[in-house]
Amino acid sequence: MKKTLCLLISISLWGCANHDNEYTSQLGIKSDSILETQFTDTMAKENLAFIKDQYVKMIGHIDNNNHVKFAAACANDNNICFPRAEEDGEIYLEQPAKWTNGFYPGLLWKLLAANDKIKNFPADEQQLVLAKAKFYQDALMPETQRGSTHDLGFILYDSFGEALEYDGLTTAERNAYTKALDVGRATLASRFDKDKGVIKSWDWGPTYPAHYLENGKVLSKNMELADPWTFPVIVDNMMNLEFLMSSSNTEYRELAFSHADQTYYHQYFYAADDKKDQYPIAYHLFDYDSMRPGNWQGVGNISAWARGQGWSLYGYVTVIEALKQQDAEMSLPNFDIHVANLVNAIEHFLKNDPVPIWDYYASAENAFEIAEDQSRDTTHYSRILDLCDFEIAADILPYNGYKPVKIDKDILSTATINELSTMTSAYNQPFIQGDKVLPCGSQSYQRNANHIPKDTSAAALYASALYRLAKFTTNTDLRDQSIKLGDRIMAELTAKYLTLSNKGRDFELGFALVQATGNMPNASEINTSIVYADFYFLEANIRKLALAQ
């Protein structure tokens, strides 16, 4: 049975999520009506040609070492670094062993596999894209045995898996890539905990990054928390299950279904005004040791991080698709109903704007209260608590009511408190003030910002998942709803969020979409172009065309 989780925080948005009963709503459409917006196959084909042109352009920049910015580890001649995002007006090249590194070769493979749908994709350009796809793919071979991460679905399946969709591979290449996926599945499966029934996400624990003054310079030091999570599972992990479910190995499939089962029971809550529990919202994180929810990406420990809702929807779409192909041996909840409710939730959140802000609760009147939540019924510490204003651009408003946050002392370890008592914060104030810790000083931020960033990566992810669902569902109402919502999102992205619209620096660098947000609480990749946003946008356009078949 689902557990009841009542969060003892006085925020009007939240209610207690009563999970004692299974979903009882019928699989149907009971959500806010959506406007039908025209997004045609012709528009999708034009987008494909645009994305192809952009990434051919990006290849040229990287080959000529123009407009690139390298991660520190890229100075090692043995390291091959991967295009990730626009940063400081350059193409940021990420170091090895990062979760995003599969998206660039995966995008190139997607272009090659869809070459018959792309206007003006001459043979010489296809050969160029193929050469680069192989080059970066080979660089990912060591990742197949890296058991320290759960992100192997992103890294391997979104690259090697995409390569296998291209019919121009040699037999040797196809065999090598298939073997790489097999090795990677075994590696990912090693992170599964049989007692808890889930794949552990991270081996690292959270720390508090203190920004302090020393000799007139602002430095940063990661310091201990008193009660950090010890077995974190993040909703992103749902995206790695398809990697396992695509195998003929029954054991891999069953552990993937087990993970989906446990995530269903533990990783969702409902807003207080959702009296009928119609719109499940995914926590970003759940600690399976303390059995408490948390967040490393959203506005607060309990919030509606936009891309997290996409990981949730997309992940469960792959689960029900796999179950339709081959049923599970274990007894599972009705994931069809769950997915229908997830679609309703996203439709509900997008009723006013088909491209979301980075966290749906960032615009709430009491967003600052959500950010300050340090309830003992959660994992206490959220990364947003120490987001200081000097870390982000002056025109960015992370959430309504953004201000310096006071942290309860008992969140930090005794050793951390003792050390902080001898240090001066970046705001030239003591860290310890009374019974509180002040990471970013006590004075209100002097900012006139009112722009809460969007996340086009979340929008593109939604559209791709919706079209995928529409392709195989037998529920005609859900199919129609998914296509209409997907079309509405894609029409908006196409009309307003292509780099073609303003032909700025991101257009010149070769990116396709603007205004993605990677990790706001970590002050990373805010309101910029990111490769995985383009990956899912490309995928959504391809899936739109597949619906016509």
Side-chain angles (χ1 to χ4, degrees):
M1 299 295 288
K2 290 190 178 182
K3 295 185 177 180
T4 300
L5 178 62
C6 294
L7 301 174
L8 305 177
I9 51 177
S10 57
I11 298 175
S12 61
L13 282 172
W14 315 122
C16 294
N18 188 339
H19 300 301
D20 289 335
N21 298 312
E22 297 290 338
Y23 285 92
T24 57
S25 62
Q26 296 299 311
L27 184 57
I29 309 306
K30 297 182 179 180
S31 53
D32 302 278
S33 61
I34 58 176
L35 298 174
E36 289 192 50
T37 306
Q38 187 103 13
F39 182 69
T40 65
D41 288 0
T42 298
M43 296 166 69
K45 289 180 179 179
E46 290 173 350
N47 284 342
L48 293 184
F50 171 66
I51 298 167
K52 182 270 295 181
D53 288 343
Q54 286 297 93
Y55 274 79
V56 168
K57 183 193 304 181
M58 186 182 292
I59 288 171
H61 288 317
I62 296 169
D63 279 355
N64 294 306
N65 205 27
N66 289 333
H67 314 306
V68 294
K69 176 180 178 181
F70 292 95
C74 300
N76 183 334
D77 291 339
N78 295 323
N79 284 341
I80 295 173
C81 294
F82 293 70
R84 172 161 170 159
E86 183 273 327
E87 185 173 302
D88 298 328
E90 309 289 348
I91 302 167
Y92 177 71
L93 297 178
E94 183 59 277
Q95 65 191 46
K98 292 294 184 177
W99 76 274
T100 55
N101 285 350
F103 290 112
Y104 182 68
L107 186 150
L108 300 182
W109 289 120
K110 276 186 178 295
L111 289 172
L112 291 165
N115 68 83
D116 60 330
K117 302 177 182 67
I118 300 176
K119 183 179 180 181
N120 191 27
F121 196 178
D124 60 334
E125 286 187 348
Q126 291 189 42
Q127 287 303 310
L128 172 66
V129 172
L130 178 59
K132 295 306 169 186
K134 290 180 179 180
F135 174 79
Y136 286 102
Q137 200 61 69
D138 288 346
L140 290 178
M141 280 293 183
E143 296 290 86
T144 62
Q145 300 184 61
R146 187 161 67 89
S148 60
T149 180
H150 74 131
D151 285 320
L152 295 181
F154 289 126
I155 298 168
L156 302 178
Y157 197 65
D158 286 337
S159 59
F160 288 103
E162 295 295 339
L164 295 180
E165 295 299 314
Y166 174 57
D167 60 11
L169 294 178
T170 66
T171 300
E173 289 165 345
R174 188 168 295 277
N175 290 341
Y177 293 170
T178 299
K179 182 178 179 181
L181 290 172
D182 288 340
V183 174
R185 287 189 186 97
T187 303
L188 178 58
S190 70
R191 297 189 61 79
F192 181 75
D193 185 290
K194 292 183 179 179
D195 293 332
K196 293 179 171 63
V198 289
I199 300 166
K200 187 178 183 181
S201 289
W202 296 328
D203 294 335
W204 55 271
T207 56
Y208 159 59
H211 302 293
Y212 65 99
L213 284 177
E214 185 175 286
N215 298 324
K217 294 182 179 180
V218 175
L219 304 176
S220 181
K221 181 177 182 179
N222 292 324
M223 308 183 79
E224 291 180 347
L225 301 179
D227 185 24
W229 66 60
T230 51
F231 199 103
V233 173
I234 59 175
V235 72
D236 317 35
N237 213 343
M238 284 298 303
M239 295 292 288
N240 295 306
L241 300 188
E242 184 182 12
F243 183 25
L244 296 172
M245 294 183 298
S246 63
S247 171
S248 60
N249 185 315
T250 302
E251 180 183 352
Y252 292 165
R253 288 174 55 84
E254 293 300 308
L255 68 84
F257 293 138
S258 173
H259 185 99
D261 177 62
Q262 292 300 307
T263 300
Y264 169 81
Y265 281 115
H266 296 300
Q267 208 132 356
Y268 291 91
F269 71 98
Y270 299 89
D273 60 356
D274 182 11
K275 302 300 183 183
K276 298 181 180 180
D277 287 359
Q278 292 178 291
Y279 310 126
I281 303 169
Y283 297 121
H284 176 223
L285 180 147
F286 194 85
D287 179 19
Y288 276 79
D289 276 341
S290 66
M291 300 304 288
R292 296 178 303 187
N295 208 329
W296 203 240
Q297 281 273 26
V299 164
N301 264 317
I302 302 176
S303 62
W305 175 44
R307 193 165 65 253
Q309 311 316 307
W311 298 142
S312 164
L313 172 65
Y314 195 114
Y316 277 103
V317 166
T318 65
V319 169
I320 62 173
E321 185 177 28
L323 287 171
K324 289 183 185 302
Q325 295 166 353
Q326 181 182 337
D327 203 1
E329 294 182 359
M330 67 181 67
S331 176
L332 295 171
N334 191 326
F335 289 144
D336 288 291
I337 292 177
H338 184 50
V339 165
N341 288 338
L342 293 176
V343 172
N344 287 342
I346 288 175
E347 180 185 82
H348 174 70
F349 277 125
L350 297 181
K351 59 187 175 183
N352 295 322
D353 191 337
V355 177
I357 57 176
W358 73 278
D359 187 303
Y360 291 108
Y361 290 144
S363 61
E365 290 184 4
N366 65 335
F368 66 95
E369 294 178 333
I370 300 169
E372 293 174 357
D373 169 36
Q374 299 163 49
S375 168
R376 290 184 176 275
D377 290 313
T378 70
T379 55
H380 297 291
Y381 178 75
S382 172
R383 185 63 180 84
I384 203 77
L385 290 171
D386 55 70
L387 179 63
C388 298
D389 68 332
F390 69 83
E391 298 180 86
I392 56 178
D395 63 333
I396 295 298
L397 178 66
Y399 54 84
N400 275 344
Y402 176 57
K403 61 182 180 180
V405 177
K406 297 179 181 179
I407 298 180
D408 294 336
K409 274 186 176 180
D410 62 359
I411 288 181
L412 306 179
S413 71
T414 300
T416 296
I417 294 297
N418 290 339
E419 187 170 0
L420 288 176
S421 67
T422 67
M423 300 165 66
T424 301
S425 79
Y427 291 79
N428 202 26
Q429 292 183 4
F431 277 106
I432 311 297
Q433 298 189 26
D435 61 350
K436 300 289 185 180
V437 178
L438 278 65
C440 308
S442 60
Q443 303 301 313
S444 297
Y445 297 137
Q446 301 302 305
R447 306 166 64 86
N448 295 317
N450 57 14
H451 172 59
I452 299 176
K454 296 291 193 79
D455 187 4
T456 54
S457 76
L461 181 62
Y462 298 161
S464 184
L466 290 163
Y467 288 149
R468 182 171 187 170
L469 175 61
K471 181 70 174 176
F472 70 81
T473 183
T474 57
N475 183 299
T476 55
D477 287 339
L478 181 60
R479 181 182 188 276
D480 290 346
Q481 180 193 20
S482 297
I483 293 174
K484 288 176 182 178
L485 182 54
D487 284 352
R488 182 172 171 238
I489 293 168
M490 291 297 286
E492 187 79 358
L493 288 175
T494 301
K496 299 181 182 178
Y497 293 91
L498 296 184
T499 57
L500 182 66
S501 298
N502 58 16
K503 292 191 176 181
R505 184 63 167 170
D506 37 25
F507 171 78
E508 294 300 326
L509 294 176
F511 293 98
L513 287 179
V514 298
Q515 295 189 42
T517 296
N519 189 338
M520 172 68 77
N522 198 42
S524 173
E525 296 172 339
I526 301 171
N527 197 29
T528 191
S529 295
I530 304 177
V531 166
Y532 55 76
D534 292 350
F535 177 94
Y536 288 110
F537 183 60
L538 171 60
E539 185 174 85
N541 282 287
I542 293 171
R543 286 192 167 142
K544 170 64 176 177
L545 294 174
L547 290 175
Q549 301 172 6

